[in-house]
Amino acid sequence: MAAIAICAPSTPFTHEDAARVTALAKTEFPEHSLHFHPQCFLADGHFAGPDEMRLAAFVECANDPAFDAVWFVRGGYGAVRIAQQAMERLDHHAEGKTYLGYSDAGTMLGALYRARIGRQVHAPMPADIRRQGGEDAVRRTLGYLAGDRAGLEPSLGETPAVAFNLMTLAMLCGTPIMPGLAGRVVMVEEVSEYLYAVDRLFFHVTAHLGGIAGLRLGRVSDVPENDRPFGTDADQIARYWCQRHSIPYLGRADIGHDAANRIVPFGVAGETRGQ
């Protein structure tokens, strides 16, 4: 059984979608208890409440000994505004928790991984209930928390791995919350970016990934059509920049901004905490 706190470091959720996720969990995973923090439903411009309110909600969930896991409700943008301060406010109760999400939530996962606080997991979020096939995505995360490992990324092995949205990882690079990734397999995915922008992101990211065990490319989806073809696809872009920086290119990963997004625990799958 897992007591799961759900908060929104980035953008807001709706009561209607929360009810759908809660109903699915009650029916299929009665061993879990889900607790949506009221902050999930606030709106302050783009964000799920002002910075200080989003920060306080995350710290409250992470430091509460009643919870086993903190599940980020959705991505968007906003976590970068609170992540560094959040690490400074966490206490020992935060260390035993599992933290789950992807997209902009990767900012929080990266900061936690750097700080060696808890277990970080790239995984579907409650907001995925809105996607076609989204119930299966939500089931994948709830099943993982119940001990089901069928939803793991198939390439995971003995080499520690991490997974990030490419833009999110690029924004972490060179900042005080960027985790050390030497010796890790780094998996990246992207959505709604021009291919020239994907190329630019790889230029920046690969310059910060010296010493990694290799890179895997997830799905690069919903690519806008530019006024002229870029000339190479996402796979070729990844190979090009990996070659430029002598990074082993390991092929594809089954992750992305879609309902098929697979689970990637940070570190070695099954280890007790981030290393």
Side-chain angles (χ1 to χ4, degrees), residues 12-162:
F13 205 42
T14 69
H15 288 284
E16 292 77 13
D17 288 330
R20 294 177 62 195
V21 174
T22 299
L24 187 154
K26 284 184 176 180
T27 300
E28 302 184 29
F29 300 90
E31 67 273 27
H32 294 331
S33 58
L34 272 57
H35 304 268
F36 283 88
H37 194 287
Q39 172 268 327
C40 291
F41 311 111
L42 299 180
D44 182 53
H46 175 86
F47 307 107
D51 290 352
E52 184 58 38
M53 192 168 291
R54 300 196 319 282
L55 172 60
F58 167 71
V59 171
E60 179 184 337
C61 291
N63 287 347
D64 191 333
F67 296 121
D68 305 298
V70 176
W71 198 8
F72 300 118
V73 76
R74 62 173 300 189
Y77 171 72
V80 73
R81 296 166 65 113
I82 67 170
Q84 187 171 352
Q85 300 97 309
M87 299 306 108
E88 298 166 357
R89 298 190 190 183
L90 298 182
D91 65 24
H92 69 281
H93 294 297
E95 297 173 0
K97 289 181 173 58
T98 299
Y99 299 86
L100 309 102
Y102 73 103
S103 188
D104 195 55
T107 301
M108 305 302 291
L109 299 181
L112 289 160
Y113 195 53
R114 178 187 174 106
R116 296 176 177 264
I117 297 172
R119 298 167 295 277
Q120 307 78 31
V121 184
H122 166 104
M125 297 180 288
D128 286 304
I129 198 77
R130 302 171 178 174
R131 302 185 187 278
Q132 183 175 359
E135 290 186 352
D136 285 339
V138 171
R139 288 186 185 102
R140 195 171 303 121
T141 297
L142 293 173
Y144 175 82
L145 288 170
D148 183 0
R149 297 299 181 258
L152 291 177
E153 155 61 28
S155 69
L156 293 173
E158 293 303 312
T159 304
V162 298

Side-chain angles (χ1 to χ4, degrees), residues 88-256:
E88 298 166 357
R89 298 190 190 183
L90 298 182
D91 65 24
H92 69 281
H93 294 297
E95 297 173 0
K97 289 181 173 58
T98 299
Y99 299 86
L100 309 102
Y102 73 103
S103 188
D104 195 55
T107 301
M108 305 302 291
L109 299 181
L112 289 160
Y113 195 53
R114 178 187 174 106
R116 296 176 177 264
I117 297 172
R119 298 167 295 277
Q120 307 78 31
V121 184
H122 166 104
M125 297 180 288
D128 286 304
I129 198 77
R130 302 171 178 174
R131 302 185 187 278
Q132 183 175 359
E135 290 186 352
D136 285 339
V138 171
R139 288 186 185 102
R140 195 171 303 121
T141 297
L142 293 173
Y144 175 82
L145 288 170
D148 183 0
R149 297 299 181 258
L152 291 177
E153 155 61 28
S155 69
L156 293 173
E158 293 303 312
T159 304
V162 298
F164 289 97
N165 169 258
L166 181 60
M167 176 68 80
T168 300
L169 181 58
M171 296 302 100
L172 288 176
C173 289
T175 72
I177 56 174
M178 172 67 176
L181 299 178
R184 275 67 172 167
V185 173
V186 177
M187 305 182 192
V188 293
E189 52 80 23
E190 191 50 85
V191 65
S192 300
E193 293 288 349
Y194 290 103
L195 286 176
Y196 71 78
V198 172
D199 191 80
R200 180 188 293 142
L201 291 169
F202 268 108
F203 156 73
H204 181 65
V205 165
T206 52
H208 291 266
L209 296 183
I212 69 170
L215 183 139
R216 287 189 179 274
L217 179 65
R219 284 178 287 283
V220 177
S221 57
D222 297 334
V223 177
E225 185 175 346
N226 195 21
D227 59 353
R228 60 187 299 138
F230 186 67
T232 56
D233 62 23
D235 190 83
Q236 292 169 318
I237 291 169
R239 290 177 184 272
Y240 172 83
W241 287 106
C242 283
Q243 184 177 21
R244 282 275 298 262
H245 290 277
S246 299
I247 294 170
Y249 180 70
L250 304 178
R252 304 306 295 263
D254 194 8
I255 63 170

